[in-house]
Amino acid sequence: MTSRIITYAEAIREAIGQAMESDPNVFMLGEDIGIYGGAFGVSGDLFHRFGPERIRDTPISELGIVGAAVGAALVGMKPIVEIQFSDFTAQAMDQIVNQAAKIHFMIGGQLSVPMVLRAPSGSGTGAAAQHSQSLEAWFAHIPGLKVVMPSNARDAKGLLLAAIADPNPVIVLEHKLLYKTSGEVPEEMYMTPIGVPDLVQEGTDLVIVATGVMVSRSIEAAHQLKEHGISASIIDVRTLSPLDMTLINQVVSATGRVLLVQEAPKHVGYMAEIAARIAEGPSWKQLKAPIKRLCGLEIPIPYAPQLEQAAVPQVADIVKHATQLVKEN
Amino acid sequence: MTSRIITYAEAIREAIGQAMESDPNVFMLGEDIGIYGGAFGVSGDLFHRFGPERIRDTPISELGIVGAAVGAALVGMKPIVEIQFSDFTAQAMDQIVNQAAKIHFMIGGQLSVPMVLRAPSGSGTGAAAQHSQSLEAWFAHIPGLKVVMPSNARDAKGLLLAAIADPNPVIVLEHKLLYKTSGEVPEEMYMTPIGVPDLVQEGTDLVIVATGVMVSRSIEAAHQLKEHGISASIIDVRTLSPLDMTLINQVVSATGRVLLVQEAPKHVGYMAEIAARIAEGPSWKQLKAPIKRLCGLEIPIPYAPQLEQAAVPQVADIVKHATQLVKEN
Amino acid sequence: MSSITPLIGPESGLISDSKPAALAALESLLSIRSFEEAVDALFARGLMHGTMHLSIGQEASATGVCAALTSTDYITSTHRGHGHCIAKGADITRMMAELLAKQTGYCRGRGGSMHIADAATGNLGANGIVAGGIPIAAGAALAQKMQGKKEVIVSFFGDGATNEGAFHEALNLSAIWDLPVVFVCEDNKYGMSNSTEKSMRVEKISERAAAYGIEGVTVDGNDVDAVFAATRTAVAKARTGGGPTLVEAETYRWKGHSKSDKNLYRSKEEIDEWKAKDPIERFQNLCLTKNIITQAEIDELTARVREVTRGAIKDAMAAPDSNPDELLSGVFKAVS
Amino acid sequence: MSSITPLIGPESGLISDSKPAALAALESLLSIRSFEEAVDALFARGLMHGTMHLSIGQEASATGVCAALTSTDYITSTHRGHGHCIAKGADITRMMAELLAKQTGYCRGRGGSMHIADAATGNLGANGIVAGGIPIAAGAALAQKMQGKKEVIVSFFGDGATNEGAFHEALNLSAIWDLPVVFVCEDNKYGMSNSTEKSMRVEKISERAAAYGIEGVTVDGNDVDAVFAATRTAVAKARTGGGPTLVEAETYRWKGHSKSDKNLYRSKEEIDEWKAKDPIERFQNLCLTKNIITQAEIDELTARVREVTRGAIKDAMAAPDSNPDELLSGVFKAVS
Ligand SMILES: Cc1ncc(C[n+]2csc(CCOP(=O)(O)OP(=O)(O)O)c2C)c(N)n1
Ligand SMILES: Cc1ncc(C[n+]2csc(CCOP(=O)(O)OP(=O)(O)O)c2C)c(N)n1
Ligand SMILES: [Mg+2]
Ligand SMILES: [Mg+2]
């Protein structure tokens, strides 16, 4: 496959464009995705390529939009909903959780809901508490939803294409700080399988398991750790639901130390699940140190830059906690 | 204090009545709480005692109701919202999570939101997937919300009075199967402190940590286990957020085996947090067996009685898993 | 299989002007009543689980509306959805099997009364969430439009549902996009215990159409002909690109909201008043007066419908219980 | 402290009929414009963080509305809330400090532009959620009614917000309970890039009042007098138990929705047309024509307002940065 360096946002746009070219039932709906090009510029020129019917600007009514996507999906369309900030899924939670997630099961499998809901998550832009949440734990907890969180441009495309091909509702949580980051992305259509975490790098002293923007921070942290003589594996969970623990268990067993890093607040967050699975699982006996989670503080995301940075793990925090974990155990 | 045997529903009603008598700013709003007496009969005769202004029937509009409670709370009232089924909090999630939970923090502490949101959770009544969820993990994950889950009549009253006295938003998740169960409840007003789990009974072989209706099932299971020569401690988590781990750590250290039981699906559920805290904490080294979670299946709650029972832990399941945990480790 | 004779709405004139149409409508009315009464009795005898919401007294709206639809048109339905389901042509035995928690039920026993759907007859599903189906109907209508199809979607909901944000957002989307959808509000005067007088300030729910720049009409919901005629107009408009209409059918539920209802919020007189307006008796009398149907035909039909219901119960009861072993595999559709 | 002179709405007649009222209104108009321009410049120079939504061009609605309120009346505001905040009497220095992420800001740097509240002047808060403040306003109004108080709540929101379910539910609750609330829709013709023509089928947003059985009025939102008069009527009605009114103020935002806006969805001509309807120039000319204010007074006020803004920036910049150490203790109010 031919690859080029493009941004995460471009990779998403390319995936949508290719899916729309190859399947007339794929369409996009959301607020300001048309001529405006999307609040984060993701839809960009798709409006000019596919027109207002298939790149469908909506009024500000998230519940209605998601409900419309559910209805369209039930009768054979493949809607891709963009929710402008993942915080506004709160408005649409009934359609996501009580309808989309449950219909296939509830009606005995007669129909399915092949829809994709994309939304930018996370903090880092000074948008404060109502525009910066990381709500992946909510979605991952709901049977009937698949949940992915691409951490780089390549997966952004591959996971989105897999989500579009999936006959079930898939929640794609993008990260707003990643939209402008670049990476190598194949030109062709390809799918990153939903359900398989990614071994980003191998190391011997500990494994850092991370999601979203914490993956790139972990990679940066691992560089610094190397300088201090600490060798870290990194696993990008990537698909939060369903989750296959094989790789994580393997690497935890091999390194004996695990640092779980997420942006969301710790309490009842996604990494609690990984911790629990490790504690319940086969790698438990190989642990040389207690499992350690490094997460966002138990606070709404604040506005001021210095407060916002203090609220979620930074590279230095990862370095510090990884070092402690290795040195003290 | 004088105690009597009353039902869980009566205990809640008594708490509301006493709070309303002692503070004119306390009032209730919700669907069919007036002359109908509440979908589960909880408000009962309160309408006749306090009238339609303070026991305020609302149209079917959960988002509006919760928003109205937030607004009333901001200017000095103490609203108690009843959401008919906890599943319908999905409709009101924006006001719960983006508004109520964050306002005090976001506006630098100028105002607070002293509201209580009560809602019946859980399965067991054949009401199927949209009326039977256990969503406590959602609320517990959100900084700015306190979350309690009374498992018996005494706590139903005490925790509700504590919630009403609290100057912050408190989510009270009741269980619909418990409304008609009875227990000893003091007549006077009293508060069960928010933040402290309850040691239901002490045993030596393992500790069962449970929430909601799983507490009574665990008690029943412990009776049966005793007949098989297994002695179980039981901890009722009771207040899910904030959570104080002192007691749990103590008892886990003492018994060396822990079975975590919840009704909600396992994946990214509340018990993952308890498992993670144990795995990260001081009792980790005392564990004789891996931590074990016994939870609902990863499915929407089905309608048929035999399916519904298969979907969530029953007494026999608790007995089986507790026995395995003790026998095999 | 035991579905009603497909409803035939005449292209012009009323249902009560056409013998086959009238007979089919009467079969629908009687089948709904018979089904609901049977369900009521089964619950009373402890043979049914869960909860139920009966549409006795409201048979004319389901019947009149579905008579204006083709078999490939769609509906979204509600918690009070048995009537819609039957009128749209569902198999009564499979409905009964679902309520009896059987593997042969429409949802394999997973959904129960509040979640019956029938893909074959275009019933996209009842809904346990008040107003939950309205945005879904808008989306199904959007799909018809985008796919260049001619199908129309009817979204059924109650008066109480119009106070939900979902109603507002769905009607607005449908209006601005000229979607082929007809919003049918079965205004039975109460959302559970809350009367329309207490829960809204408009006289007629159809007035709410004004907020979306669409037409709103109120009809006598106990008059099959009136419901049919208004729906036929709205459906024709929707089918030809004219966009949505809000049709309010004024009616009444005779029974409590659900099993736990003590009817404290309304008077016996009020209930009796509405019972006197029985949509079935009324339609029968109209057809007799117009000499479209004979009393003998009514009696024959009534007996036949009862027989069908009895047969449905018998067959459903004999069916295997729903199977817990397929629960986990039922959550996701397999990726092909 | 640097708040505007309290707005004085005359009990009868127009603002432009009364010198003190006109001067106060002009001070408000100029202060809002000056604040917004300063913020725009600070952002452009990279001295401000986050995002911002400027109300340049919309100063008359904030000013006219707040002139009809007492100091103890309440407002709920929006993401485009600086104008409301200033008109209600907030300290401009503390607003600026908030935007500059300072400890002395209204929210101690935790909220920023989208979350400024001022308990002292009855501003219950801006809101980052479109329509998020509307149900909150209904609740605050319910509290006034239950506590037997005479205070009225104004809920500001945009045209786009009226497409949200929250708008619908809040207006319905307020209507049925006769709450003392005035809903002020600042119809600036766009919700981000989505024009009102595309996002709704009504000609005037005030028509949506019909769905709730309340009065709706549309006024020229660039005319301080018209906004004031309509609000005064609505407030008087609300205060005396007459329930809510929906007031639509037609106006326009000159700047992009937020910093990232390239204005692709509207034409330069349209923007210029509206700039020609500058609410400030218009009010000044009216007052000059009516001989209520002199040009010298205008010049003096303009200079003074600029000075206040400059002082606010200076003082805010000198203030200590917001303090990360109190984050954890800021989440919950301490249980007493
Ligand atoms: C979102 C939501 N809120 C509340 C309920 C509980 N509930 C079920 S039916 C009902 C009344 C519905 O009234 P209406 O829409 O008029 O329909 P009807 O029952 O009269 O047919 C209520 C409150 C629900 N199922 N969903
Ligand atoms: C629930 C929600 N949806 C979307 C957004 C993103 N957003 C912020 S402002 C805005 C436009 C609001 O339009 P309008 O209500 O007309 O107010 P205006 O910006 O014109 O003042 C949008 C879409 C949001 N903040 N909240
Ligand atoms: Mg009704
Ligand atoms: Mg606008």
Side-chain angles (χ1 to χ4, degrees):
Chain A
M1 292 206 255
T2 340
S3 288
R4 313 115 311 152
I5 307 272
I6 59 175
T7 66
Y8 184 92
E10 286 162 351
I12 296 165
R13 188 182 318 136
E14 184 165 280
I16 298 172
Q18 289 175 343
M20 287 182 63
E21 269 165 9
S22 65
D23 181 350
N25 288 324
V26 177
F27 74 107
M28 226 186 133
L29 71 171
E31 295 159 16
D32 308 293
I33 61 170
I35 196 158
Y36 195 96
F40 289 92
V42 172
S43 48
D45 65 349
L46 292 175
F47 178 76
H48 297 290
R49 287 176 55 202
F50 296 99
E53 291 285 315
R54 294 182 70 196
I55 303 293
R56 186 169 285 265
D57 258 329
T58 65
I60 311 171
S61 38
E62 292 78 12
L63 180 61
I65 300 167
V66 177
V70 173
L74 275 175
V75 297
M77 299 293 287
K78 292 230 160 202
I80 304 172
V81 179
E82 175 173 301
I83 295 291
Q84 219 162 62
F85 286 75
S86 74
D87 314 70
F88 314 153
T89 58
Q91 262 74 357
M93 214 37 98
D94 176 61
Q95 287 291 337
I96 301 171
V97 161
N98 290 331
Q99 313 292 344
K102 297 181 172 48
I103 287 176
H104 176 71
F105 178 89
M106 274 190 316
I107 66 174
Q110 290 180 66
L111 297 166
S112 63
V113 186
M115 65 177 273
V116 175
L117 187 153
R118 299 175 36 246
S121 280
S123 64
T125 67
Q130 293 174 333
H131 287 73
S132 304
Q133 287 167 93
S134 298
L135 297 171
E136 64 276 5
W138 278 9
F139 301 109
H141 183 47
I142 301 297
L145 297 178
K146 299 189 181 184
V147 185
V148 303
M149 244 175 121
S151 75
N152 59 67
R154 189 186 188 99
D155 285 351
K157 180 171 174 182
L159 286 170
L160 183 51
L161 285 171
I164 294 170
D166 202 291
N168 300 288
V170 182
I171 310 293
V172 182
L173 295 168
E174 300 162 2
H175 198 290
K176 41 181 99 72
L177 290 183
L178 295 175
Y179 284 128
K180 291 184 179 161
T181 62
S182 298
E184 236 179 63
V185 176
E187 263 176 33
E188 295 81 355
M189 287 177 87
Y190 61 93
M191 293 192 219
T192 305
I194 296 179
V196 187
D198 185 30
L199 182 60
V200 178
Q201 68 174 55
E202 283 189 88
T204 51
D205 296 321
L206 85 162
V207 54
I208 303 175
V209 180
T211 48
V213 78
M214 293 300 147
V215 175
S216 37
R217 292 200 188 149
S218 297
I219 294 172
E220 220 180 304
H223 280 296
Q224 298 185 20
L225 287 165
K226 207 168 173 187
E227 289 167 22
H228 299 104
I230 294 174
S231 158
S233 286
I234 299 175
I235 293 177
D236 178 359
V237 181
R238 195 165 68 176
T239 89
L240 279 66
S241 199
L243 166 71
D244 179 344
M245 282 294 290
T246 318
L247 176 71
I248 296 176
N249 281 331
Q250 251 166 31
V251 183
V252 169
S253 294
T255 58
R257 299 185 192 88
V258 56
L259 179 64
L260 306 171
V261 189
Q262 77 186 12
E263 179 172 357
K266 185 187 290 179
H267 194 56
V268 203
Y270 187 78
M271 286 303 168
E273 179 64 25
I274 306 269
R277 296 245 200 145
I278 295 170
E280 289 176 323
S283 55
W284 175 69
K285 298 250 173 195
Q286 323 304 325
L287 281 178
K288 299 175 196 156
I291 296 166
K292 173 83 199 158
R293 283 179 295 167
L294 173 60
C295 305
L297 299 181
E298 309 296 325
I299 61 171
I301 296 291
Y303 160 73
Q306 68 277 21
L307 304 188
E308 194 178 19
Q309 270 174 39
V312 304
Q314 304 297 327
V315 173
D317 301 311
I318 303 173
V319 171
K320 188 181 117 194
H321 282 87
T323 308
Q324 273 176 11
L325 197 62
V326 174
K327 291 280 144 83
E328 292 173 13
N329 295 278
Chain B
M1 291 207 257
T2 340
S3 287
R4 312 116 311 152
I5 307 273
I6 59 174
T7 67
Y8 185 90
E10 285 162 350
I12 296 166
R13 188 182 318 135
E14 183 167 280
I16 297 172
Q18 289 175 343
M20 286 182 63
E21 269 166 10
S22 66
D23 181 349
N25 289 324
V26 176
F27 74 107
M28 225 187 134
L29 71 172
E31 294 158 15
D32 308 294
I33 60 170
I35 196 159
Y36 195 97
F40 290 91
V42 172
S43 49
D45 65 349
L46 291 174
F47 178 75
H48 297 289
R49 288 177 54 203
F50 295 100
E53 292 285 315
R54 294 182 72 194
I55 302 293
R56 187 169 285 265
D57 257 329
T58 66
I60 311 171
S61 39
E62 292 78 10
L63 181 61
I65 300 167
V66 177
V70 173
L74 275 174
V75 297
M77 300 293 286
K78 293 229 161 202
I80 304 173
V81 179
E82 174 172 303
I83 295 291
Q84 218 162 62
F85 285 76
S86 75
D87 313 71
F88 315 153
T89 58
Q91 262 74 357
M93 214 35 101
D94 176 60
Q95 287 290 336
I96 300 172
V97 161
N98 290 331
Q99 313 292 345
K102 296 181 172 48
I103 287 176
H104 177 72
F105 178 90
M106 274 190 316
I107 65 174
Q110 291 178 68
L111 297 166
S112 62
V113 186
M115 64 178 272
V116 175
L117 187 151
R118 298 176 37 245
S121 279
S123 64
T125 67
Q130 294 175 331
H131 287 72
S132 305
Q133 288 168 94
S134 298
L135 296 170
E136 64 276 6
W138 278 9
F139 301 108
H141 183 47
I142 300 296
L145 297 178
K146 299 189 181 182
V147 184
V148 304
M149 242 174 123
S151 75
N152 59 67
R154 188 186 188 99
D155 284 352
K157 179 172 175 183
L159 285 170
L160 183 51
L161 285 171
I164 295 170
D166 201 291
N168 300 289
V170 182
I171 310 293
V172 182
L173 295 168
E174 299 161 3
H175 199 290
K176 39 182 100 71
L177 290 184
L178 294 175
Y179 284 128
K180 292 185 179 162
T181 63
S182 299
E184 235 179 62
V185 176
E187 263 177 32
E188 295 80 356
M189 287 176 87
Y190 61 93
M191 292 191 218
T192 305
I194 296 180
V196 187
D198 184 31
L199 182 59
V200 179
Q201 68 175 57
E202 283 189 87
T204 52
D205 297 321
L206 87 161
V207 54
I208 302 174
V209 180
T211 48
V213 77
M214 293 300 147
V215 175
S216 37
R217 292 198 187 152
S218 298
I219 294 171
E220 219 180 304
H223 280 295
Q224 299 185 20
L225 287 166
K226 209 170 173 186
E227 290 167 22
H228 300 102
I230 294 174
S231 157
S233 286
I234 299 174
I235 292 177
D236 177 0
V237 180
R238 194 164 69 174
T239 89
L240 280 65
S241 200
L243 166 70
D244 179 344
M245 282 294 290
T246 318
L247 175 71
I248 296 177
N249 281 330
Q250 252 167 30
V251 184
V252 169
S253 295
T255 58
R257 299 185 192 87
V258 56
L259 179 65
L260 307 171
V261 189
Q262 77 186 12
E263 179 171 356
K266 185 187 288 178
H267 194 55
V268 202
Y270 187 77
M271 285 303 168
E273 179 64 27
I274 306 267
R277 297 244 200 145
I278 294 170
E280 289 175 324
S283 55
W284 177 69
K285 299 252 173 192
Q286 322 306 323
L287 281 177
K288 296 176 197 157
I291 297 166
K292 172 85 199 158
R293 285 179 293 168
L294 173 60
C295 306
L297 299 182
E298 309 296 326
I299 61 171
I301 297 291
Y303 161 71
Q306 69 275 24
L307 304 188
E308 194 179 20
Q309 269 173 38
V312 304
Q314 304 297 327
V315 173
D317 302 311
I318 303 174
V319 171
K320 187 180 118 193
H321 283 86
T323 308
Q324 273 176 11
L325 196 63
V326 174
K327 292 278 144 82
E328 293 172 12
N329 296 279
Chain C
M1 277 290 295
S2 46
S3 319
I4 59 167
T5 308
L7 284 161
I8 322 163
E11 275 186 36
S12 63
L14 299 172
I15 291 185
S16 63
D17 293 333
S18 142
K19 184 169 185 118
L23 277 172
L26 186 56
E27 183 179 343
S28 169
L29 294 169
L30 292 169
S31 298
I32 299 170
R33 177 74 52 95
S34 171
F35 185 87
E36 299 290 51
E37 284 175 347
V39 170
D40 202 22
L42 288 165
F43 261 90
R45 289 166 55 205
L47 295 173
M48 247 179 215
H49 173 67
T51 188
M52 60 161 167
H53 306 88
L54 303 178
S55 61
I56 296 177
Q58 305 185 190
E59 297 87 350
S61 57
T63 300
V65 166
C66 291
L69 298 179
T70 67
S71 68
T72 55
D73 286 333
Y74 294 95
I75 63 167
T76 64
S77 171
T78 68
H79 59 286
R80 200 176 303 287
H82 302 161
H84 313 143
C85 197
I86 292 171
K88 196 68 179 63
D91 178 354
I92 289 165
T93 309
R94 288 188 67 193
M95 289 177 65
M96 200 58 89
E98 184 58 32
L99 300 189
L100 289 168
K102 299 295 185 169
Q103 185 68 14
T104 56
Y106 269 112
C107 313
R108 307 177 191 222
R110 292 181 200 150
S113 167
M114 280 194 286
H115 303 296
I116 296 180
D118 182 14
T121 61
N123 180 350
L124 296 175
N127 212 308
I129 298 293
V130 170
I134 316 181
I136 293 175
L142 175 60
Q144 303 317 306
K145 190 173 173 176
M146 291 184 74
Q147 298 186 329
K149 295 195 178 147
K150 283 281 158 240
E151 270 66 35
V152 166
I153 284 81
V154 159
S155 183
F156 286 103
F157 49 87
D159 47 289
T162 72
N163 299 317
E164 283 278 4
F167 164 84
H168 178 72
E169 297 189 14
L171 265 74
N172 192 49
L173 290 180
S174 304
I176 59 167
W177 293 336
D178 284 326
L179 298 183
V181 54
V182 178
F183 297 106
V184 176
C185 178
E186 293 181 290
D187 173 9
N188 63 6
K189 307 300 165 199
Y190 293 89
M192 209 154 154
S193 69
N194 210 340
S195 69
T196 50
E197 282 106 67
K198 278 173 55 192
S199 71
M200 58 189 80
R201 266 288 183 86
V202 284
E203 290 265 311
K204 300 278 178 207
I205 286 170
S206 58
E207 293 171 47
R208 296 196 147 172
Y212 315 103
I214 63 171
E215 221 178 305
V217 334
T218 300
V219 297
D220 180 339
N222 281 6
D223 177 345
V224 177
D225 281 333
V227 172
F228 166 70
T231 311
R232 180 176 57 191
T233 305
V235 166
K237 184 174 169 184
R239 214 184 291 287
T240 52
T245 307
L246 173 59
V247 177
E248 174 188 18
E250 295 189 299
T251 181
Y252 200 78
R253 68 168 152 71
W254 293 7
K255 296 276 172 174
H257 168 72
S258 67
K259 264 290 140 190
S260 59
D261 189 344
K262 297 188 213 85
N263 275 319
L264 297 173
Y265 50 87
R266 53 182 192 173
S267 64
K268 196 174 167 312
E269 290 70 45
E270 184 182 289
I271 300 174
D272 287 342
E273 230 171 76
W274 277 93
K275 282 191 177 170
K277 301 186 207 164
D278 182 356
I280 302 185
E281 239 179 72
R282 184 164 154 189
F283 186 71
Q284 288 177 345
N285 289 340
L286 177 69
C287 292
L288 289 171
T289 315
K290 283 178 138 184
N291 280 322
I292 290 283
I293 311 187
T294 65
Q295 185 61 48
E297 285 168 328
I298 293 175
D299 294 343
E300 187 275 330
L301 199 53
T302 308
R304 180 150 56 83
V305 160
R306 268 200 211 122
E307 206 37 62
V308 168
T309 308
R310 259 196 293 269
I313 296 173
K314 204 170 136 244
D315 293 351
M317 283 193 161
D321 285 346
S322 53
N323 179 3
D325 296 338
E326 20 168 86
L327 283 175
L328 286 173
S329 63
V331 179
F332 290 113
K333 180 167 176 183
V335 181
S336 57
Chain D
M1 278 292 294
S2 46
S3 319
I4 59 166
T5 308
L7 285 160
I8 321 164
E11 276 186 33
S12 64
L14 300 172
I15 291 186
S16 62
D17 292 334
S18 143
K19 184 168 184 119
L23 276 172
L26 186 57
E27 184 180 340
S28 169
L29 295 168
L30 292 168
S31 296
I32 298 171
R33 177 74 54 93
S34 172
F35 184 88
E36 298 289 51
E37 284 175 348
V39 170
D40 202 21
L42 287 165
F43 262 91
R45 288 166 57 204
L47 295 173
M48 247 179 214
H49 173 69
T51 188
M52 59 160 170
H53 305 88
L54 302 177
S55 61
I56 296 176
Q58 304 185 189
E59 297 87 350
S61 57
T63 300
V65 166
C66 291
L69 299 178
T70 67
S71 68
T72 55
D73 286 333
Y74 294 96
I75 62 168
T76 64
S77 171
T78 69
H79 59 286
R80 200 176 303 288
H82 303 160
H84 314 143
C85 197
I86 292 171
K88 196 69 179 63
D91 179 354
I92 289 163
T93 308
R94 286 188 68 192
M95 289 176 65
M96 199 59 90
E98 184 58 32
L99 300 188
L100 289 166
K102 299 295 185 169
Q103 185 68 15
T104 55
Y106 269 111
C107 313
R108 306 178 191 220
R110 292 181 202 150
S113 167
M114 280 193 287
H115 303 296
I116 297 180
D118 182 14
T121 60
N123 180 350
L124 296 176
N127 211 307
I129 298 294
V130 169
I134 316 180
I136 294 175
L142 174 60
Q144 303 315 306
K145 189 173 174 176
M146 291 184 74
Q147 297 186 330
K149 294 197 178 145
K150 282 283 158 238
E151 271 66 35
V152 165
I153 284 81
V154 160
S155 183
F156 285 104
F157 49 85
D159 47 287
T162 70
N163 298 317
E164 284 278 4
F167 163 84
H168 177 71
E169 298 189 14
L171 265 75
N172 192 49
L173 290 181
S174 303
I176 59 168
W177 293 336
D178 285 326
L179 299 182
V181 53
V182 178
F183 297 105
V184 176
C185 178
E186 293 181 290
D187 173 9
N188 62 8
K189 306 300 165 199
Y190 294 89
M192 208 155 155
S193 69
N194 210 341
S195 69
T196 49
E197 281 107 67
K198 279 173 54 191
S199 71
M200 58 189 80
R201 266 286 184 86
V202 285
E203 289 265 312
K204 299 279 177 207
I205 288 171
S206 57
E207 294 171 48
R208 296 196 147 173
Y212 315 104
I214 63 171
E215 220 180 307
V217 332
T218 300
V219 297
D220 180 341
N222 280 6
D223 177 345
V224 177
D225 281 331
V227 172
F228 166 71
T231 311
R232 180 177 53 192
T233 305
V235 166
K237 183 173 168 183
R239 215 184 290 289
T240 52
T245 306
L246 173 59
V247 177
E248 174 189 19
E250 296 190 298
T251 181
Y252 200 79
R253 69 168 150 72
W254 293 8
K255 295 278 174 175
H257 168 72
S258 67
K259 263 291 141 191
S260 59
D261 189 345
K262 299 188 210 81
N263 274 319
L264 297 173
Y265 51 88
R266 54 183 191 171
S267 66
K268 197 176 165 310
E269 290 70 46
E270 183 182 290
I271 300 174
D272 287 342
E273 232 171 75
W274 278 94
K275 280 192 177 168
K277 302 186 206 162
D278 182 357
I280 302 186
E281 239 179 71
R282 186 165 153 189
F283 186 70
Q284 288 177 346
N285 289 340
L286 177 70
C287 292
L288 289 171
T289 315
K290 283 177 139 183
N291 280 322
I292 289 284
I293 312 188
T294 67
Q295 184 62 48
E297 284 168 328
I298 293 175
D299 294 343
E300 188 273 332
L301 198 53
T302 308
R304 180 148 56 80
V305 161
R306 268 200 210 119
E307 206 38 60
V308 168
T309 308
R310 258 197 294 270
I313 297 173
K314 207 172 133 239
D315 293 350
M317 283 193 162
D321 284 346
S322 52
N323 180 2
D325 296 338
E326 22 168 84
L327 283 175
L328 286 174
S329 61
V331 179
F332 290 112
K333 181 167 176 184
V335 182
S336 57

